[in-house]
Amino acid sequence: MAGEKSSSSVCAACGCQLSAEDIIEEGGETFCEDCYIESRHKIQACDPWAVRSKKIFREEAGLEGTEGLTELQKAIYDFIVSRGGAKKEEIAEKFGISARETENQFALLRHCELVKGQKRADGVYLVLFDA
């Protein structure tokens, strides 16, 4: 029948095998739960309220620099520092994360005012916020 989920399928994003109860259909494609959530979860980098909220939270918690960041966020920050800037594609490849996850991590680091985007001759780089 139309609209009925098949007994087994493959995720359109990651290619994993899915059983009928794990299938999420969207726009005519089939996804696993992780890929579906990732495709819908985008944090906005340029969000003044998020920056203000993060700044207040970090000040009240006494957090400075990379304090309070996840291990991944610290590693990305250190990678950017070590290279004097890095493209999002380089970060995704280095840490084995998706483009969306790279965008989300950038947004969170941007909200902490630790990194920002900087246009260079060969593309946009993530650099230290003070640069």
Side-chain angles (χ1 to χ4, degrees):
M1 289 188 133
E4 200 173 288
K5 294 180 182 176
S6 61
S7 61
S8 164
S9 194
V10 177
C11 175
C14 72
C16 72
Q17 271 306 120
L18 301 169
S19 59
E21 63 270 6
D22 295 329
I23 294 172
I24 299 174
E25 292 179 348
E26 178 74 26
E29 293 189 294
T30 302
F31 297 98
C32 67
E33 183 178 11
D34 290 341
C35 291
Y36 177 79
I37 290 171
E38 183 175 325
S39 72
R40 302 301 180 267
H41 185 87
K42 183 172 186 222
I43 302 170
Q44 297 296 320
C46 297
D47 182 344
W49 285 109
V51 172
R52 179 169 162 44
S53 297
K54 184 66 84 171
K55 190 171 193 170
I56 291 169
F57 170 78
R58 289 177 58 81
E59 285 174 358
E60 288 178 356
L63 300 174
E64 295 181 5
T66 60
E67 293 175 341
L69 298 180
T70 66
E71 291 303 314
L72 176 60
Q73 291 163 348
K74 287 178 187 177
I76 290 170
Y77 179 84
D78 291 341
F79 181 68
I80 292 168
V81 169
S82 72
R83 297 179 51 131
K87 291 182 177 182
K88 291 177 188 173
E89 300 81 16
E90 295 170 331
I91 293 168
E93 184 177 324
K94 166 77 174 162
F95 296 100
I97 57 178
S98 68
R100 175 64 57 102
E101 183 61 21
T102 303
E103 288 284 342
N104 286 342
Q105 294 303 321
F106 163 64
L108 293 167
L109 292 169
R110 173 64 184 85
H111 295 167
C112 293
E113 296 186 328
L114 293 172
V115 301
K116 65 181 180 182
Q118 182 184 73
K119 199 169 195 174
R120 295 183 180 172
D122 62 336
V124 176
Y125 284 74
L126 304 186
V127 298
L128 295 185
F129 192 79
D130 305 9

